[in-house]
Amino acid sequence: KFCPGKVCSFHLRQQSGNPTRHFAFMAVMKKPAAAPMEEEAPEVETQTPSRVRRSSASAVATPITPATPNAQGSPKKRPAAAMDKDEEEELEEPQPQETPEEKLAREEEEITSARRKELKAVKVDELKELVLSKGLEAGKKEEMVELILQSEAKARKNVRDHASNVRLVVVKKKEEYEALSFDELRKACSDSGIKGSLSKEARVLELLRLWQEDDGIDKGLAQMAYEAREAELSAKDTQGLFKLCEEKGTNPYVKEVMVDRIVKKETAAGKFERPTLEEKKVAEPEKTTEDAVEAVLANESERKKRIELERRQQEAIAAKKKELRSNNIEELKRILTERGIDPFLAASANSSNTTSPGRIKKDDLVDVLYGEVMKDEAIEAKKNGLRAMPTEDLKALLASKGIDPVAKKEGMVEAVMAYEKKCKEDMELF
Protein backbone atom coordinates (compact mmCIF):
# COMPACT_ATOMS: atom_id res chain seq x y z
CA LYS A 1 0.00 0.00 0.00
CA PHE A 2 2.72 2.46 0.89
CA CYS A 3 6.40 2.86 -0.02
CA PRO A 4 8.21 0.35 2.23
CA GLY A 5 10.65 2.98 3.43
CA LYS A 6 13.23 2.70 0.64
CA VAL A 7 13.45 4.87 -2.39
CA CYS A 8 11.42 3.51 -5.27
CA SER A 9 11.74 4.51 -8.92
CA PHE A 10 8.48 6.41 -8.79
CA HIS A 11 9.62 8.23 -5.66
CA LEU A 12 12.76 9.32 -7.47
CA ARG A 13 10.83 10.56 -10.48
CA GLN A 14 8.54 12.63 -8.23
CA GLN A 15 11.18 14.25 -6.05
CA SER A 16 10.73 17.54 -7.82
CA GLY A 17 6.96 17.08 -8.33
CA ASN A 18 3.80 17.29 -6.17
CA PRO A 19 3.94 15.04 -2.98
CA THR A 20 0.19 14.67 -2.70
CA ARG A 21 -0.02 13.10 -6.10
CA HIS A 22 2.66 10.63 -5.03
CA PHE A 23 0.68 9.43 -2.03
CA ALA A 24 -2.58 9.33 -3.99
CA PHE A 25 -0.94 7.14 -6.59
CA MET A 26 0.51 4.83 -4.01
CA ALA A 27 -2.93 4.41 -2.49
CA VAL A 28 -4.25 2.84 -5.70
CA MET A 29 -1.20 0.75 -6.45
CA LYS A 30 -1.56 -2.92 -5.81
CA LYS A 31 1.23 -5.16 -4.85
CA PRO A 32 1.87 -8.05 -7.23
CA ALA A 33 0.55 -11.34 -5.91
CA ALA A 34 3.75 -13.21 -6.50
CA ALA A 35 5.87 -10.68 -4.64
CA PRO A 36 6.00 -11.03 -0.81
CA MET A 37 5.30 -8.10 1.47
CA GLU A 38 8.79 -8.02 2.90
CA GLU A 39 10.50 -7.96 -0.53
CA GLU A 40 12.33 -4.80 -1.05
CA ALA A 41 11.94 -2.73 -4.19
CA PRO A 42 14.74 -3.26 -6.77
CA GLU A 43 17.53 -0.78 -6.70
CA VAL A 44 17.45 1.78 -9.47
CA GLU A 45 20.26 3.85 -10.81
CA THR A 46 20.56 7.36 -9.50
CA GLN A 47 19.55 9.72 -12.27
CA THR A 48 20.94 13.10 -12.93
CA PRO A 49 18.68 16.13 -12.31
CA SER A 50 18.22 16.69 -16.05
CA ARG A 51 17.03 13.15 -16.56
CA VAL A 52 14.83 13.35 -13.44
CA ARG A 53 13.10 16.40 -14.82
CA ARG A 54 12.63 14.71 -18.15
CA SER A 55 11.21 11.60 -16.50
CA SER A 56 8.84 13.56 -14.25
CA ALA A 57 7.32 15.27 -17.23
CA SER A 58 6.41 11.98 -18.84
CA ALA A 59 5.37 10.17 -15.64
CA VAL A 60 1.97 11.86 -15.46
CA ALA A 61 0.90 10.67 -18.88
CA THR A 62 2.44 7.17 -18.67
CA PRO A 63 1.16 4.77 -15.96
CA ILE A 64 3.72 2.59 -14.26
CA THR A 65 3.34 -1.15 -14.56
CA PRO A 66 4.90 -3.52 -12.09
CA ALA A 67 8.11 -5.23 -13.00
CA THR A 68 7.64 -8.70 -14.47
CA PRO A 69 9.46 -11.30 -12.45
CA ASN A 70 12.08 -13.39 -14.17
CA ALA A 71 12.46 -17.12 -13.97
CA GLN A 72 13.92 -16.98 -10.46
CA GLY A 73 10.98 -14.88 -9.21
CA SER A 74 12.87 -11.59 -8.99
CA PRO A 75 11.92 -8.66 -11.20
CA LYS A 76 14.24 -7.80 -14.15
CA LYS A 77 16.17 -4.62 -13.86
CA ARG A 78 17.95 -2.70 -16.70
CA PRO A 79 21.64 -1.91 -16.25
CA ALA A 80 22.32 1.76 -15.51
CA ALA A 81 25.15 2.00 -18.08
CA ALA A 82 22.89 0.77 -20.88
CA MET A 83 20.22 3.29 -19.93
CA ASP A 84 22.72 6.17 -19.94
CA LYS A 85 24.10 5.12 -23.32
CA ASP A 86 20.70 4.86 -24.99
CA GLU A 87 19.53 8.20 -23.63
CA GLU A 88 22.73 9.95 -24.67
CA GLU A 89 22.36 8.60 -28.20
CA GLU A 90 18.81 9.90 -28.33
CA LEU A 91 19.78 13.31 -26.96
CA GLU A 92 23.11 13.80 -28.78
CA GLU A 93 22.50 12.26 -32.21
CA PRO A 94 24.93 14.10 -34.61
CA GLN A 95 23.50 15.86 -37.62
CA PRO A 96 25.30 15.24 -40.98
CA GLN A 97 27.43 18.19 -42.17
CA GLU A 98 26.47 19.69 -45.55
CA THR A 99 29.39 20.19 -47.96
CA PRO A 100 29.65 23.43 -50.01
CA GLU A 101 28.87 21.47 -53.18
CA GLU A 102 25.76 19.95 -51.64
CA LYS A 103 24.68 23.34 -50.32
CA LEU A 104 25.14 24.92 -53.74
CA ALA A 105 23.22 22.11 -55.44
CA ARG A 106 20.40 22.42 -52.90
CA GLU A 107 20.17 26.20 -53.33
CA GLU A 108 20.22 25.89 -57.12
CA GLU A 109 17.46 23.31 -56.99
CA GLU A 110 15.34 25.56 -54.74
CA ILE A 111 15.91 28.58 -56.99
CA THR A 112 15.13 26.58 -60.13
CA SER A 113 11.99 25.08 -58.62
CA ALA A 114 10.65 28.45 -57.50
CA ARG A 115 11.55 30.08 -60.82
CA ARG A 116 9.88 27.25 -62.78
CA LYS A 117 6.61 27.80 -60.93
CA GLU A 118 6.89 31.53 -61.55
CA LEU A 119 7.54 31.09 -65.29
CA LYS A 120 4.72 28.60 -65.72
CA ALA A 121 2.34 31.27 -64.44
CA VAL A 122 3.50 33.73 -67.13
CA LYS A 123 1.51 34.06 -70.33
CA VAL A 124 2.90 32.53 -73.51
CA ASP A 125 3.33 35.89 -75.29
CA GLU A 126 5.27 37.38 -72.40
CA LEU A 127 7.31 34.20 -72.11
CA LYS A 128 8.16 34.31 -75.80
CA GLU A 129 9.23 37.95 -75.51
CA LEU A 130 11.47 37.06 -72.57
CA VAL A 131 13.03 34.19 -74.52
CA LEU A 132 13.79 36.41 -77.51
CA SER A 133 15.31 39.10 -75.27
CA LYS A 134 17.80 36.51 -74.00
CA GLY A 135 18.79 35.53 -77.54
CA LEU A 136 17.05 32.15 -77.36
CA GLU A 137 14.72 30.43 -79.81
CA ALA A 138 11.00 30.48 -79.14
CA GLY A 139 9.02 27.23 -79.07
CA LYS A 140 6.55 25.46 -76.88
CA LYS A 141 5.88 26.88 -73.42
CA GLU A 142 7.59 23.99 -71.61
CA GLU A 143 10.63 24.24 -73.89
CA MET A 144 10.87 28.00 -73.41
CA VAL A 145 10.64 27.61 -69.63
CA GLU A 146 13.52 25.11 -69.64
CA LEU A 147 15.62 27.32 -71.94
CA ILE A 148 15.14 30.30 -69.64
CA LEU A 149 16.02 28.20 -66.59
CA GLN A 150 19.20 26.91 -68.26
CA SER A 151 20.18 30.41 -69.36
CA GLU A 152 19.66 31.87 -65.89
CA ALA A 153 21.54 28.97 -64.26
CA LYS A 154 24.45 29.58 -66.65
CA ALA A 155 24.38 33.30 -65.83
CA ARG A 156 24.54 32.56 -62.09
CA LYS A 157 27.44 30.17 -62.71
CA ASN A 158 29.28 32.85 -64.68
CA VAL A 159 28.83 35.28 -61.80
CA ARG A 160 30.23 32.71 -59.35
CA ASP A 161 33.15 31.92 -61.65
CA HIS A 162 33.92 35.62 -62.08
CA ALA A 163 33.97 36.16 -58.32
CA SER A 164 36.21 33.11 -57.91
CA ASN A 165 38.61 34.37 -60.60
CA VAL A 166 38.75 37.82 -59.02
CA ARG A 167 39.69 36.29 -55.69
CA LEU A 168 42.28 34.08 -57.41
CA VAL A 169 43.89 37.08 -59.15
CA VAL A 170 44.09 39.07 -55.91
CA VAL A 171 45.49 36.13 -53.93
CA LYS A 172 48.08 35.44 -56.64
CA LYS A 173 49.23 39.08 -56.67
CA LYS A 174 49.37 39.16 -52.87
CA GLU A 175 51.49 36.01 -52.80
CA GLU A 176 53.74 37.52 -55.45
CA TYR A 177 54.40 40.57 -53.26
CA GLU A 178 54.81 38.46 -50.13
CA ALA A 179 57.42 36.31 -51.88
CA LEU A 180 59.70 39.36 -52.29
CA SER A 181 62.47 39.95 -49.83
CA PHE A 182 62.25 43.02 -47.62
CA ASP A 183 64.83 44.92 -49.72
CA GLU A 184 63.00 44.08 -52.94
CA LEU A 185 59.71 45.08 -51.36
CA ARG A 186 61.18 48.36 -50.16
CA LYS A 187 62.54 49.10 -53.66
CA ALA A 188 59.13 48.31 -55.19
CA CYS A 189 57.49 50.69 -52.72
CA SER A 190 60.05 53.39 -53.49
CA ASP A 191 59.47 53.01 -57.25
CA SER A 192 55.71 53.28 -56.65
CA GLY A 193 56.04 56.41 -54.50
CA ILE A 194 55.28 54.73 -51.19
CA LYS A 195 57.37 56.36 -48.46
CA GLY A 196 57.78 55.93 -44.74
CA SER A 197 58.91 53.22 -42.38
CA LEU A 198 56.31 50.50 -42.86
CA SER A 199 56.10 46.84 -41.96
CA LYS A 200 56.11 44.17 -44.62
CA GLU A 201 52.35 43.64 -44.31
CA ALA A 202 51.67 47.36 -44.66
CA ARG A 203 53.90 47.58 -47.73
CA VAL A 204 52.09 44.64 -49.32
CA LEU A 205 48.72 46.28 -48.67
CA GLU A 206 49.87 49.60 -50.16
CA LEU A 207 51.24 47.90 -53.26
CA LEU A 208 47.99 45.97 -53.64
CA ARG A 209 46.01 49.20 -53.35
CA LEU A 210 48.05 50.89 -56.09
CA TRP A 211 47.84 47.75 -58.23
CA GLN A 212 44.06 47.73 -57.87
CA GLU A 213 43.77 51.43 -58.76
CA ASP A 214 45.78 50.71 -61.92
CA ASP A 215 43.06 48.24 -63.05
CA GLY A 216 45.21 45.35 -61.89
CA ILE A 217 42.23 43.05 -61.38
CA ASP A 218 40.84 43.62 -64.88
CA LYS A 219 44.28 43.16 -66.40
CA GLY A 220 44.79 39.97 -64.41
CA LEU A 221 41.43 38.60 -65.54
CA ALA A 222 42.25 39.44 -69.16
CA GLN A 223 45.62 37.68 -68.87
CA MET A 224 43.95 34.67 -67.27
CA ALA A 225 41.40 34.46 -70.10
CA TYR A 226 44.18 34.83 -72.69
CA GLU A 227 46.24 32.03 -71.16
CA ALA A 228 43.20 29.75 -70.92
CA ARG A 229 42.30 30.38 -74.57
CA GLU A 230 45.91 29.89 -75.67
CA ALA A 231 46.08 26.56 -73.84
CA GLU A 232 42.78 25.50 -75.42
CA LEU A 233 43.99 26.34 -78.94
CA SER A 234 47.41 24.74 -78.37
CA ALA A 235 45.68 21.48 -77.43
CA LYS A 236 44.00 21.35 -80.88
CA ASP A 237 45.64 19.58 -83.80
CA THR A 238 46.61 21.32 -87.06
CA GLN A 239 43.46 20.29 -88.92
CA GLY A 240 41.25 21.53 -86.10
CA LEU A 241 42.99 24.92 -86.05
CA PHE A 242 42.80 25.20 -89.84
CA LYS A 243 39.05 24.46 -89.75
CA LEU A 244 38.58 27.05 -86.98
CA CYS A 245 40.38 29.67 -89.10
CA GLU A 246 38.10 28.91 -92.05
CA GLU A 247 34.99 29.24 -89.87
CA LYS A 248 36.12 32.61 -88.52
CA GLY A 249 37.43 33.86 -91.89
CA THR A 250 40.97 34.19 -90.54
CA ASN A 251 43.99 33.81 -92.84
CA PRO A 252 46.04 30.93 -91.41
CA TYR A 253 49.12 31.96 -93.39
CA VAL A 254 50.85 34.70 -91.40
CA LYS A 255 53.34 36.64 -93.52
CA GLU A 256 55.96 36.99 -90.78
CA VAL A 257 55.81 33.26 -90.01
CA MET A 258 56.16 32.31 -93.69
CA VAL A 259 59.14 34.66 -94.15
CA ASP A 260 60.81 33.22 -91.08
CA ARG A 261 60.35 29.64 -92.30
CA ILE A 262 61.63 30.46 -95.81
CA VAL A 263 64.75 32.12 -94.40
CA LYS A 264 65.41 29.10 -92.16
CA LYS A 265 65.14 26.74 -95.13
CA GLU A 266 67.42 28.89 -97.31
CA THR A 267 69.95 29.21 -94.48
CA ALA A 268 70.03 25.44 -94.04
CA ALA A 269 70.56 25.08 -97.81
CA GLY A 270 73.58 27.43 -97.69
CA LYS A 271 71.85 30.31 -99.45
CA PHE A 272 73.51 32.95 -97.24
CA GLU A 273 77.01 31.53 -97.14
CA ARG A 274 79.82 33.61 -98.56
CA PRO A 275 79.94 33.24 -102.37
CA THR A 276 83.20 31.86 -103.73
CA LEU A 277 84.83 31.69 -107.12
CA GLU A 278 86.54 28.58 -108.28
CA GLU A 279 90.19 29.37 -108.80
CA LYS A 280 92.88 27.18 -110.13
CA LYS A 281 95.12 26.05 -107.36
CA VAL A 282 98.81 26.23 -108.02
CA ALA A 283 100.24 22.78 -107.66
CA GLU A 284 102.79 22.65 -104.91
CA PRO A 285 106.07 20.94 -105.74
CA GLU A 286 106.17 17.37 -104.58
CA LYS A 287 108.31 16.74 -101.57
CA THR A 288 111.22 14.48 -102.30
CA THR A 289 113.91 12.92 -100.27
CA GLU A 290 116.70 14.61 -102.32
CA ASP A 291 119.57 16.43 -100.75
CA ALA A 292 118.73 19.73 -99.05
CA VAL A 293 121.22 21.56 -101.25
CA GLU A 294 119.49 20.42 -104.44
CA ALA A 295 116.11 21.48 -103.00
CA VAL A 296 117.39 24.98 -102.18
CA LEU A 297 118.90 25.35 -105.66
CA ALA A 298 115.61 24.32 -107.31
CA ASN A 299 113.66 26.73 -105.12
CA GLU A 300 116.08 29.52 -105.96
CA SER A 301 115.46 28.99 -109.66
CA GLU A 302 111.68 29.22 -109.19
CA ARG A 303 112.07 32.26 -106.96
CA LYS A 304 114.06 34.13 -109.64
CA LYS A 305 111.46 33.30 -112.27
CA ARG A 306 108.69 34.64 -109.99
CA ILE A 307 110.62 37.84 -109.30
CA GLU A 308 111.25 38.35 -113.01
CA LEU A 309 107.54 37.87 -113.76
CA GLU A 310 106.57 40.39 -111.11
CA ARG A 311 109.09 42.90 -112.51
CA ARG A 312 107.64 42.57 -115.97
CA GLN A 313 104.13 42.99 -114.60
CA GLN A 314 105.16 46.17 -112.76
CA GLU A 315 106.74 47.51 -115.94
CA ALA A 316 103.56 46.73 -117.86
CA ILE A 317 101.46 48.46 -115.21
CA ALA A 318 103.70 51.52 -115.24
CA ALA A 319 103.64 51.67 -119.04
CA LYS A 320 99.87 51.35 -119.15
CA LYS A 321 99.39 54.07 -116.52
CA LYS A 322 101.82 56.31 -118.42
CA GLU A 323 99.73 55.79 -121.53
CA LEU A 324 96.53 56.68 -119.66
CA ARG A 325 98.15 59.64 -117.97
CA SER A 326 98.88 61.13 -121.36
CA ASN A 327 95.16 61.94 -121.63
CA ASN A 328 93.86 65.10 -120.01
CA ILE A 329 91.32 65.08 -117.17
CA GLU A 330 88.33 65.74 -119.43
CA GLU A 331 89.26 62.82 -121.68
CA LEU A 332 89.61 60.54 -118.67
CA LYS A 333 86.18 61.66 -117.39
CA ARG A 334 84.66 60.92 -120.81
CA ILE A 335 86.13 57.40 -120.96
CA LEU A 336 84.87 56.58 -117.46
CA THR A 337 81.43 58.00 -118.24
CA GLU A 338 81.21 55.82 -121.38
CA ARG A 339 81.90 52.80 -119.17
CA GLY A 340 79.00 53.83 -116.90
CA ILE A 341 81.22 55.03 -114.05
CA ASP A 342 80.74 58.36 -112.27
CA PRO A 343 84.18 60.05 -112.31
CA PHE A 344 83.61 62.03 -109.11
CA LEU A 345 82.40 59.07 -107.05
CA ALA A 346 85.03 56.72 -108.43
CA ALA A 347 87.86 59.18 -107.82
CA SER A 348 86.63 59.99 -104.31
CA ALA A 349 86.40 56.28 -103.43
CA ASN A 350 89.90 55.61 -104.83
CA SER A 351 91.56 58.65 -103.20
CA SER A 352 93.17 58.12 -99.78
CA ASN A 353 93.14 61.88 -99.05
CA THR A 354 90.05 64.04 -98.61
CA THR A 355 89.61 66.43 -101.51
CA SER A 356 87.42 69.46 -101.88
CA PRO A 357 83.97 68.89 -103.45
CA GLY A 358 84.09 69.27 -107.24
CA ARG A 359 87.88 68.78 -107.47
CA ILE A 360 89.34 65.55 -108.86
CA LYS A 361 92.96 64.51 -109.02
CA LYS A 362 94.24 63.16 -112.32
CA ASP A 363 96.12 60.29 -110.65
CA ASP A 364 92.88 59.09 -109.05
CA LEU A 365 91.13 59.01 -112.42
CA VAL A 366 94.10 57.14 -113.93
CA ASP A 367 94.02 54.52 -111.18
CA VAL A 368 90.27 53.96 -111.63
CA LEU A 369 90.56 53.68 -115.40
CA TYR A 370 93.57 51.36 -115.13
CA GLY A 371 91.59 49.04 -112.85
CA GLU A 372 88.82 48.86 -115.45
CA VAL A 373 91.34 48.11 -118.21
CA MET A 374 92.86 45.30 -116.13
CA LYS A 375 89.42 43.80 -115.63
CA ASP A 376 88.85 43.83 -119.38
CA GLU A 377 92.18 42.17 -119.99
CA ALA A 378 91.50 39.52 -117.34
CA ILE A 379 88.10 38.79 -118.92
CA GLU A 380 89.66 38.51 -122.35
CA ALA A 381 92.38 36.22 -121.05
CA LYS A 382 89.73 34.06 -119.38
CA LYS A 383 87.76 33.85 -122.64
CA ASN A 384 90.86 32.86 -124.59
CA GLY A 385 91.55 30.12 -122.05
CA LEU A 386 87.98 28.80 -122.39
CA ARG A 387 88.16 28.92 -126.19
CA ALA A 388 91.30 26.82 -126.06
CA MET A 389 89.48 24.06 -124.15
CA PRO A 390 87.99 21.09 -125.99
CA THR A 391 84.22 21.15 -126.52
CA GLU A 392 83.63 18.12 -124.29
CA ASP A 393 85.56 19.75 -121.44
CA LEU A 394 83.47 22.93 -121.84
CA LYS A 395 80.25 20.90 -121.64
CA ALA A 396 81.48 19.19 -118.48
CA LEU A 397 82.34 22.60 -117.01
CA LEU A 398 78.84 23.90 -117.76
CA ALA A 399 77.27 20.84 -116.15
CA SER A 400 79.41 21.19 -113.00
CA LYS A 401 78.19 24.80 -112.56
CA GLY A 402 74.53 23.92 -113.21
CA ILE A 403 74.42 25.87 -116.49
CA ASP A 404 72.14 24.71 -119.28
CA PRO A 405 74.13 23.31 -122.21
CA VAL A 406 74.58 25.49 -125.32
CA ALA A 407 75.10 24.24 -128.86
CA LYS A 408 77.90 26.52 -130.03
CA LYS A 409 81.30 26.74 -128.36
CA GLU A 410 81.29 30.55 -128.24
CA GLY A 411 77.91 30.44 -126.53
CA MET A 412 79.31 28.07 -123.91
CA VAL A 413 82.22 30.49 -123.30
CA GLU A 414 79.82 33.42 -122.84
CA ALA A 415 77.63 31.37 -120.47
CA VAL A 416 80.61 30.57 -118.24
CA MET A 417 81.70 34.23 -118.19
CA ALA A 418 78.15 35.41 -117.30
CA TYR A 419 78.05 32.88 -114.45
CA GLU A 420 81.35 34.12 -113.02
CA LYS A 421 80.27 37.77 -113.36
CA LYS A 422 77.11 36.97 -111.35
CA CYS A 423 79.22 35.29 -108.67
CA LYS A 424 81.44 38.39 -108.38
CA GLU A 425 78.38 40.63 -108.03
CA ASP A 426 77.01 38.37 -105.28
CA MET A 427 80.32 38.56 -103.45
CA GLU A 428 80.33 42.35 -103.59
CA LEU A 429 76.70 42.44 -102.41
CA PHE A 430 77.50 40.03 -99.57
Side-chain angles (χ1 to χ4, degrees):
K1 309 287 182 173
F2 297 97
C3 180
K6 295 191 178 181
V7 180
C8 65
S9 58
F10 185 81
H11 195 170
L12 288 173
R13 292 192 188 99
Q14 297 298 327
Q15 283 179 356
S16 58
N18 189 353
T20 57
R21 295 180 58 189
H22 163 60
F23 291 111
F25 184 82
M26 286 193 299
V28 263
M29 282 186 65
K30 291 186 178 180
K31 190 175 181 180
M37 285 287 293
E38 293 79 16
E39 187 175 4
E40 297 178 353
E43 295 183 359
V44 185
E45 58 164 334
T46 306
Q47 297 182 351
T48 58
S50 61
R51 293 177 187 148
V52 170
R53 286 192 298 269
R54 183 173 177 270
S55 301
S56 62
S58 62
V60 178
T62 306
I64 296 178
T65 57
T68 304
N70 56 12
Q72 285 75 21
S74 60
K76 294 182 180 180
K77 59 179 180 179
R78 192 175 184 183
M83 292 178 65
D84 287 342
K85 184 176 180 181
D86 293 342
E87 292 181 1
E88 286 177 2
E89 288 179 354
E90 293 177 0
L91 295 175
E92 301 176 3
E93 185 176 353
Q95 296 296 329
Q97 295 290 337
E98 191 178 32
T99 62
E101 292 79 8
E102 293 174 346
K103 181 181 178 182
L104 178 61
R106 178 178 56 77
E107 292 176 350
E108 279 292 317
E109 186 177 354
E110 293 174 355
I111 294 173
T112 303
S113 178
R115 182 61 172 159
R116 182 180 284 108
K117 292 179 181 178
E118 181 182 345
L119 291 173
K120 285 183 177 180
V122 178
K123 295 180 180 179
V124 178
D125 295 338
E126 297 178 1
L127 202 61
K128 187 179 295 185
E129 187 177 338
L130 180 60
V131 166
L132 295 176
S133 67
K134 293 180 177 291
L136 304 174
E137 294 182 0
K140 296 180 180 179
K141 185 173 182 178
E142 292 77 7
E143 295 176 353
M144 291 189 293
V145 168
E146 294 302 323
L147 286 176
I148 293 173
L149 291 175
Q150 293 174 7
S151 175
E152 292 179 351
K154 184 178 179 181
R156 290 193 298 270
K157 183 179 181 301
N158 292 337
V159 171
R160 291 195 300 270
D161 292 343
H162 178 76
S164 177
N165 290 336
V166 169
R167 174 176 290 276
L168 183 61
V169 168
V170 175
V171 169
K172 184 178 179 181
K173 194 65 177 179
K174 181 174 178 290
E175 291 176 351
E176 179 184 336
Y177 284 140
E178 289 176 343
L180 298 175
S181 64
F182 190 78
D183 291 338
E184 292 173 340
L185 199 60
R186 183 169 56 186
K187 184 177 183 303
C189 290
S190 177
D191 295 341
S192 301
I194 301 173
K195 299 179 181 180
S197 179
L198 303 174
S199 63
K200 185 174 182 178
E201 292 76 8
R203 292 180 185 275
V204 169
L205 289 177
E206 285 297 314
L207 288 173
L208 281 174
R209 180 181 60 80
L210 294 178
W211 169 76
Q212 183 182 12
E213 291 177 357
D214 192 33
D215 294 332
I217 293 178
D218 292 339
K219 293 177 182 177
L221 291 174
Q223 182 65 24
M224 184 182 295
Y226 177 85
E227 292 174 356
R229 183 59 174 166
E230 184 181 17
E232 181 183 353
L233 294 176
S234 299
K236 290 180 177 289
D237 58 357
T238 306
Q239 295 298 328
L241 288 174
F242 189 80
K243 185 178 179 181
L244 186 62
C245 289
E246 288 183 343
E247 291 175 355
K248 294 184 175 294
T250 305
N251 183 12
Y253 304 105
V254 183
K255 182 178 180 181
E256 290 77 6
V257 176
M258 291 192 292
V259 169
D260 184 60
R261 291 180 178 178
I262 292 172
V263 170
K264 284 182 178 179
K265 288 287 185 181
E266 291 183 345
T267 303
K271 182 74 174 179
F272 301 107
E273 293 180 357
R274 184 180 182 85
T276 56
L277 282 175
E278 296 180 2
E279 297 180 356
K280 292 183 179 180
K281 296 182 179 179
V282 179
E284 297 181 356
E286 297 181 1
K287 295 182 180 180
T288 59
T289 57
E290 296 179 357
D291 186 69
V293 175
E294 296 296 330
V296 170
L297 293 176
N299 188 33
E300 180 67 14
S301 175
E302 293 293 331
R303 189 180 69 85
K304 286 184 177 180
K305 289 180 182 180
R306 188 168 60 253
I307 291 174
E308 181 64 19
L309 181 61
E310 290 176 356
R311 185 184 63 80
R312 289 178 182 179
Q313 288 177 348
Q314 292 297 330
E315 289 178 355
I317 291 171
K320 192 65 178 177
K321 285 187 175 181
K322 184 178 180 180
E323 179 186 349
L324 294 174
R325 199 175 285 111
S326 63
N327 298 317
N328 58 29
I329 292 181
E330 297 301 327
E331 184 65 18
L332 292 174
K333 289 181 181 179
R334 184 188 64 79
I335 296 173
L336 289 172
T337 303
E338 289 178 355
R339 288 175 171 266
I341 300 172
D342 190 336
F344 293 96
L345 294 177
S348 300
N350 183 76
S351 177
S352 57
N353 299 323
T354 305
T355 56
S356 302
R359 296 185 60 185
I360 303 176
K361 291 184 178 181
K362 187 176 183 178
D363 291 341
D364 294 334
L365 293 176
V366 169
D367 290 340
V368 172
L369 187 56
Y370 174 76
E372 294 298 319
V373 171
M374 289 295 102
K375 288 180 182 179
D376 293 342
E377 291 181 358
I379 291 172
E380 192 62 30
K382 180 69 176 178
K383 285 183 179 179
N384 292 334
L386 293 173
R387 291 189 186 104
M389 293 176 64
T391 305
E392 296 299 326
D393 293 347
L394 269 177
K395 289 182 179 180
L397 182 63
L398 289 174
S400 66
K401 295 180 180 296
I403 303 173
D404 295 334
V406 185
K408 295 182 179 180
K409 188 173 184 178
E410 190 63 25
M412 289 189 284
V413 170
E414 293 296 332
V416 172
M417 297 305 298
Y419 173 80
E420 293 188 352
K421 181 181 179 182
K422 178 69 168 57
C423 289
K424 288 180 179 179
E425 291 175 353
D426 290 344
M427 288 180 65
E428 293 176 359
L429 181 61
F430 183 85

